Amino acid sequence: MAPERQYALLLEPLLSQAAGYARSILRNRDDAADAVQQAALRGLERIRTFDESRPFKGWWFAILRHCCIDMIRSARAMHTEGLEDFDAAADAPPNFADWEQLSTAIGRLPEHHREILQLRYFADLSYRELAESLSIPQGTVMSRLHLARKALQMQMIGGET
Amino acid sequence: MNPIDPAELSAYLDDELSPARAREVEAAMRDSPALRAELDALLEADKKWRAAVRSASFRPRIRLRNAATPKVSPYRAAGALALLVAARVLPKLGSAWDVELIVNGITLVIVMVWVIRMTRGDAPVASA
C-alpha cells in the first residue's frame, strides 16, 4: 500500500480527538478545523520520512501542535478578535464543568505542564506517544504529567473555594 | 520492594506501569491510607477532566490534496481523449454532419467527466 494511502487510513480515526485537542488550544471550532486540515496536509508532505517503528499518533499530534502554535503566533501578529477571546478566557473562574473551563485552567499552567495535559486529556496520548510528541523520555513523561496533574488539582481546589 | 514514587500513582492510574510494579503499588496502598487517599484524589480529578473534554471533540471535514491515489486531472484526460479522437477521425470525414456528430460526442465526454468530478470530490478523508 502506498504510504499516502496508509497515512489517510491511520489519520482517519484520530480526527475527532485532533479537533478537540486543537479546539482546547485555539478555543474556536473553525480555527481548530483549519489547524487539523493544515496538520493533515503537513503530515502528508512528510509521511515518506516517517519512521514506522515510532508511534504514528505521537508523531502526527506533534505536527498538529506546531500548526496550532503557528496559528496562535499568526493571530498575535495580526491582533485578531479570536486572540482577544483567547486571552479574555484566561480570566474566567475555573469550575471544570466543561472543556472550555478545563482548558482555561490548563492554560494558566506553565507551558510544559499545559502541553502534556492537553495532549493527555484532549488527544488521549499514551506515555509512549507523549514521549514521541514532546521529544522527551518516557520517565520524564510520568513525572511531568504527575506534577501537571497536581498543579491542575490545586487550581481546582482554588476554584471551588 | 522499591519505595513508590508519587509519579507512579499517575502511571498506575493511566495503566502505564508493568504488571509487577502495579501489584507493588497496590500492596503499598493497602499498607498506606495516605497513598490510597492520594490515588483516590487523582482518580476523582481524572474522571471529572475526562468527562469535561468529551464535549470539545467534533468531526472536522478534511481533504488531502494529491493524497491516496495520485490522479490524472479529469479535464486533462478529457482533453487528451478529445484530441485523440479528433486526430484520428477528422481527416476521414466528408460532410459537415459528421463533424457536428464528432463535436457533440467530444462535448458529451467532457460534460460526463465534469459531472463525475463534481459528484466524487477530492479524496475526502472524513466529512462532518
Side-chain angles (χ1 to χ4, degrees):
Chain A
M1 189 186 294
E4 290 79 5
R5 184 70 192 151
Q6 201 172 0
Y7 173 77
L9 293 174
L10 288 168
L11 185 61
E12 203 277 335
L14 306 182
L15 292 174
S16 292
Q17 279 175 345
Y21 170 70
R23 197 180 192 183
S24 77
I25 297 173
L26 302 168
R27 297 174 182 271
N28 177 290
R29 188 185 169 105
D30 292 340
D31 288 346
D34 286 348
V36 174
Q37 173 67 71
Q38 279 182 29
L41 293 176
R42 209 178 279 186
L44 181 66
E45 288 167 11
R46 300 175 187 175
I47 190 61
R48 286 182 182 271
T49 63
F50 170 63
D51 176 359
E52 289 185 17
S53 67
R54 292 157 66 187
F56 175 81
K57 190 175 178 182
W59 174 80
W60 190 78
F61 268 88
I63 294 173
L64 177 57
R65 185 163 64 92
H66 285 114
C67 285
C68 291
I69 291 169
D70 289 348
M71 286 181 72
I72 289 171
R73 283 181 184 152
S74 300
R76 285 205 171 118
M78 290 188 290
H79 302 288
T80 63
E81 282 185 18
L83 184 69
E84 287 166 15
D85 293 344
F86 182 88
D87 289 340
D91 295 328
N95 68 15
F96 302 89
D98 61 27
W99 73 267
E100 284 179 292
Q101 287 160 339
L102 176 63
S103 184
T104 298
I106 291 175
R108 290 193 179 117
L109 299 175
E111 188 179 357
H112 60 291
H113 285 170
R114 191 169 66 231
E115 282 178 343
I116 200 163
L117 285 171
Q118 283 167 335
L119 286 168
R120 176 66 192 164
Y121 282 97
F122 287 93
D124 198 30
L125 262 57
S126 69
Y127 283 21
R128 183 166 176 252
E129 290 161 345
L130 286 168
E132 169 69 27
S133 193
L134 296 170
S135 301
I136 55 176
Q138 279 196 49
T140 307
V141 167
M142 186 171 75
S143 54
R144 187 179 294 180
L145 183 57
H146 182 69
L147 290 172
R149 274 177 167 146
K150 300 296 283 181
L152 189 56
Q153 266 183 316
M154 290 304 291
Q155 282 224 31
M156 188 164 71
I157 292 165
E160 284 172 352
T161 53
Chain B
M1 180 177 80
N2 290 328
I4 305 300
D5 183 310
E8 288 182 297
L9 288 178
S10 273
Y12 177 80
L13 172 75
D14 295 326
D15 201 20
E16 291 275 357
L17 290 180
S18 68
R21 190 58 178 162
R23 282 194 294 275
E24 288 180 354
V25 170
E26 285 162 4
M29 282 191 295
R30 278 196 293 272
D31 296 337
S32 168
L35 206 58
R36 179 75 233 181
E38 191 170 350
L39 179 73
D40 286 345
L42 281 171
L43 267 168
E44 189 189 342
D46 185 74
K47 194 175 164 187
K48 205 168 185 177
W49 298 336
R50 286 192 182 281
V53 302
R54 276 188 214 117
S55 56
S57 296
F58 64 95
R59 192 80 178 165
R61 188 179 180 83
I62 298 300
R63 288 182 179 277
L64 297 178
R65 288 192 305 265
N66 306 320
T69 49
K71 296 192 298 287
V72 175
S73 158
Y75 295 109
R76 287 186 185 174
L81 182 65
L83 281 174
L84 186 67
V85 170
R88 289 184 66 86
V89 175
L90 282 177
K92 299 174 186 169
L93 295 178
S95 70
W97 189 87
D98 289 335
V99 173
E100 190 179 337
L101 188 68
I102 293 301
V103 168
N104 286 340
I106 291 170
T107 305
L108 183 64
V109 168
I110 292 171
V111 169
M112 282 177 69
V113 170
W114 180 76
V115 169
I116 290 168
R117 184 183 166 88
M118 290 296 287
T119 53
R120 190 182 56 183
D122 281 333
V125 173
S127 52

